[in-house]
Coordinates of all heavy atoms in Angstrom, one line a residue:
S30 N -19.0 12.1 -3.3 CA -19.9 13.0 -2.6 C -21.2 12.4 -2.0 O -22.1 13.1 -1.5 CB -20.3 14.2 -3.5 OG -20.9 13.7 -4.7
G31 N -21.3 11.1 -2.1 CA -22.6 10.5 -1.6 C -22.6 9.9 -0.3 O -23.6 9.2 0.2
A32 N -21.5 9.9 0.5 CA -21.4 9.2 1.8 C -22.5 9.7 2.8 O -22.8 10.9 2.8 CB -20.1 9.4 2.4
R33 N -23.0 8.8 3.6 CA -24.0 9.2 4.5 C -23.7 8.7 5.9 O -22.9 7.7 6.1 CB -25.4 8.5 4.1 CG -25.9 8.7 2.7 CD -27.1 7.9 2.3 NE -27.4 8.0 0.9 CZ -28.4 7.3 0.4 NH1 -29.0 6.4 1.1 NH2 -28.6 7.4 -0.9
A34 N -24.2 9.4 6.9 CA -24.0 9.1 8.3 C -24.5 7.6 8.5 O -25.6 7.4 8.1 CB -24.7 10.1 9.2
G35 N -23.7 6.9 9.2 CA -24.0 5.5 9.4 C -23.4 4.5 8.5 O -23.3 3.2 8.7
D36 N -22.8 5.1 7.3 CA -22.1 4.1 6.4 C -20.9 3.5 7.1 O -20.3 4.1 7.9 CB -21.7 5.0 5.2 CG -22.8 5.2 4.2 OD1 -23.9 4.6 4.3 OD2 -22.5 6.0 3.2
E37 N -20.5 2.3 6.5 CA -19.3 1.7 6.9 C -18.2 2.1 5.8 O -18.6 2.3 4.7 CB -19.4 0.3 7.0 CG -20.4 -0.3 8.0 CD -19.9 -0.2 9.5 OE1 -18.6 -0.3 9.6 OE2 -20.7 0.0 10.4
L38 N -17.0 2.2 6.2 CA -15.9 2.5 5.3 C -15.1 1.1 5.0 O -14.6 0.5 6.0 CB -15.0 3.5 5.8 CG -15.6 5.0 6.0 CD1 -14.7 5.8 6.8 CD2 -15.9 5.5 4.7
I39 N -14.9 0.8 3.7 CA -14.2 -0.3 3.4 C -13.1 0.1 2.5 O -13.1 0.8 1.6 CB -15.0 -1.3 2.7 CG1 -16.1 -1.8 3.7 CG2 -14.3 -2.5 2.2 CD1 -17.2 -2.7 3.0
L40 N -11.7 -0.5 2.8 CA -10.6 -0.3 2.0 C -10.2 -1.5 1.2 O -10.1 -2.6 1.9 CB -9.5 0.3 2.8 CG -8.1 0.6 2.1 CD1 -8.2 1.7 1.2 CD2 -7.1 0.9 3.1
G41 N -10.0 -1.4 -0.1 CA -9.8 -2.6 -0.8 C -8.3 -3.2 -0.9 O -8.1 -4.4 -1.2
K42 N -7.3 -2.3 -0.7 CA -5.8 -2.8 -0.8 C -5.1 -2.4 0.5 O -5.6 -1.4 1.3 CB -5.2 -2.1 -2.0 CG -5.6 -2.6 -3.3 CD -4.7 -1.9 -4.4 CE -5.1 -2.4 -5.8 NZ -4.3 -1.9 -6.8
R43 N -4.0 -3.0 0.8 CA -3.1 -2.7 1.9 C -2.3 -1.4 1.7 O -2.1 -1.0 0.6 CB -2.2 -3.8 2.1 CG -2.9 -5.1 2.5 CD -1.9 -6.3 2.9 NE -1.3 -6.8 1.7 CZ -0.4 -7.8 1.7 NH1 -0.1 -8.4 2.8 NH2 0.1 -8.3 0.5
L44 N -2.0 -0.8 2.7 CA -1.3 0.5 2.8 C 0.2 0.3 2.9 O 0.7 -0.7 3.4 CB -1.8 1.4 3.9 CG -3.3 1.8 3.9 CD1 -3.6 2.5 5.2 CD2 -3.6 2.6 2.7
G45 N 1.0 1.3 2.5 CA 2.4 1.2 2.7 C 3.3 1.3 1.5 O 4.5 1.2 1.5
V46 N 2.6 1.7 0.3 CA 3.3 1.7 -1.0 C 4.3 2.9 -0.9 O 5.4 2.5 -1.5 CB 2.4 1.9 -2.2 CG1 3.1 2.1 -3.5 CG2 1.4 0.7 -2.3
G47 N 4.1 3.9 -0.4 CA 5.1 5.0 -0.3 C 6.3 4.7 0.5 O 7.4 5.0 0.1
F48 N 6.0 3.9 1.7 CA 7.2 3.5 2.4 C 8.1 2.5 1.7 O 9.2 2.6 1.7 CB 6.6 2.8 3.7 CG 6.0 3.7 4.8 CD1 6.0 5.0 4.6 CD2 5.8 3.1 6.0 CE1 5.4 5.9 5.6 CE2 5.3 3.9 7.1 CZ 5.1 5.3 6.9
Y49 N 7.4 1.7 0.9 CA 8.1 0.7 0.1 C 8.9 1.4 -1.0 O 10.1 1.1 -1.2 CB 7.1 -0.2 -0.6 CG 6.8 -1.6 0.2 CD1 7.0 -1.6 1.6 CD2 6.2 -2.6 -0.5 CE1 6.6 -2.8 2.2 CE2 5.9 -3.8 0.2 CZ 6.1 -3.8 1.5 OH 5.8 -5.0 2.2
S50 N 8.2 2.4 -1.7 CA 9.0 3.1 -2.6 C 10.3 3.8 -2.2 O 11.3 3.9 -2.8 CB 8.2 4.1 -3.4 OG 7.7 5.2 -2.6
A51 N 10.1 4.4 -1.0 CA 11.3 5.1 -0.4 C 12.3 4.1 0.0 O 13.5 4.3 -0.2 CB 10.8 5.9 0.9
A52 N 11.9 2.9 0.5 CA 12.9 1.8 0.8 C 13.6 1.3 -0.5 O 14.8 1.1 -0.4 CB 12.3 0.7 1.5
L53 N 12.8 1.3 -1.5 CA 13.5 0.8 -2.9 C 14.5 1.8 -3.3 O 15.6 1.4 -3.7 CB 12.3 0.6 -3.9 CG 12.8 0.3 -5.2 CD1 13.3 -1.2 -5.3 CD2 11.7 0.3 -6.3
K54 N 14.3 3.1 -3.1 CA 15.2 4.1 -3.7 C 16.5 4.1 -2.8 O 17.5 4.5 -3.3 CB 14.5 5.5 -3.5 CG 15.2 6.4 -4.5 CD 14.1 7.5 -5.0 CE 14.6 8.3 -6.1 NZ 13.7 9.5 -6.5
K55 N 16.4 3.7 -1.6 CA 17.5 3.6 -0.6 C 18.2 2.2 -0.7 O 19.2 2.0 0.0 CB 17.1 3.9 0.8 CG 16.7 5.2 1.0 CD 16.4 5.5 2.5 CE 16.0 6.9 2.8 NZ 15.8 7.2 4.2
G56 N 17.7 1.4 -1.6 CA 18.3 0.0 -1.7 C 18.0 -0.9 -0.5 O 18.7 -2.0 -0.4
L57 N 16.9 -0.7 0.2 CA 16.6 -1.4 1.4 C 15.4 -2.5 1.2 O 15.3 -3.3 2.1 CB 16.3 -0.5 2.6 CG 17.4 0.5 3.0 CD1 16.9 1.4 4.1 CD2 18.6 -0.4 3.5
L58 N 14.7 -2.3 0.1 CA 13.5 -3.1 0.0 C 13.8 -4.6 -0.4 O 14.6 -4.8 -1.3 CB 12.6 -2.5 -1.0 CG 11.1 -3.2 -1.1 CD1 10.4 -2.8 0.2 CD2 10.4 -2.6 -2.4
S59 N 13.3 -5.6 0.4 CA 13.6 -6.9 0.2 C 12.8 -7.4 -1.0 O 11.9 -6.8 -1.5 CB 13.2 -7.8 1.4 OG 11.8 -7.8 1.6
S60 N 13.3 -8.5 -1.6 CA 12.7 -9.1 -2.7 C 11.2 -9.5 -2.5 O 10.3 -9.2 -3.4 CB 13.5 -10.3 -3.3 OG 14.8 -9.9 -3.8
P61 N 10.9 -10.2 -1.4 CA 9.5 -10.5 -1.1 C 8.7 -9.3 -1.0 O 7.5 -9.3 -1.4 CB 9.6 -11.2 0.2 CG 11.0 -11.8 0.3 CD 11.9 -10.8 -0.4
C62 N 9.2 -8.2 -0.3 CA 8.4 -7.0 -0.3 C 8.2 -6.4 -1.6 O 7.1 -5.7 -1.8 CB 9.0 -6.0 0.8 SG 8.8 -6.6 2.4
Y63 N 9.2 -6.3 -2.5 CA 9.0 -5.8 -3.7 C 8.0 -6.5 -4.6 O 7.1 -6.0 -5.2 CB 10.5 -5.9 -4.6 CG 10.3 -5.3 -6.0 CD1 10.4 -4.0 -6.2 CD2 10.1 -6.2 -7.1 CE1 10.3 -3.4 -7.5 CE2 10.1 -5.6 -8.3 CZ 10.2 -4.3 -8.5 OH 10.0 -3.7 -9.8
A64 N 8.0 -7.9 -4.4 CA 7.0 -8.7 -5.1 C 5.5 -8.4 -4.5 O 4.6 -8.2 -5.3 CB 7.2 -10.2 -4.8
S65 N 5.4 -8.1 -3.3 CA 4.1 -7.6 -2.6 C 3.8 -6.2 -3.3 O 2.5 -6.0 -3.5 CB 4.2 -7.5 -1.1 OG 4.4 -8.8 -0.6
M66 N 4.7 -5.4 -3.4 CA 4.5 -4.0 -3.9 C 3.9 -4.2 -5.3 O 2.9 -3.5 -5.7 CB 5.7 -3.2 -3.9 CG 5.6 -1.9 -4.4 SD 7.2 -1.0 -4.4 CE 6.8 0.6 -5.2
I67 N 4.6 -5.0 -6.2 CA 4.2 -5.1 -7.6 C 2.7 -5.8 -7.7 O 1.9 -5.3 -8.5 CB 5.2 -5.9 -8.4 CG1 6.5 -5.2 -8.4 CG2 4.7 -6.1 -9.8 CD1 6.5 -3.7 -8.9
A68 N 2.5 -6.8 -6.8 CA 1.3 -7.4 -6.9 C 0.1 -6.6 -6.5 O -1.0 -6.5 -7.1 CB 1.3 -8.7 -5.8
S69 N 0.3 -5.6 -5.5 CA -0.7 -4.6 -5.1 C -0.8 -3.5 -6.2 O -2.0 -3.3 -6.5 CB -0.3 -4.0 -3.8 OG -1.3 -3.1 -3.4

């Protein structure tokens, strides 16, 4: 609740975990992408 006008917004991790999880359930997620998902 403390954000102020003029503040910059910073995001710490990459997005797309939900896409990855859906791909995993469909058997489409590659091994390198699974490793990226777990690391994140």
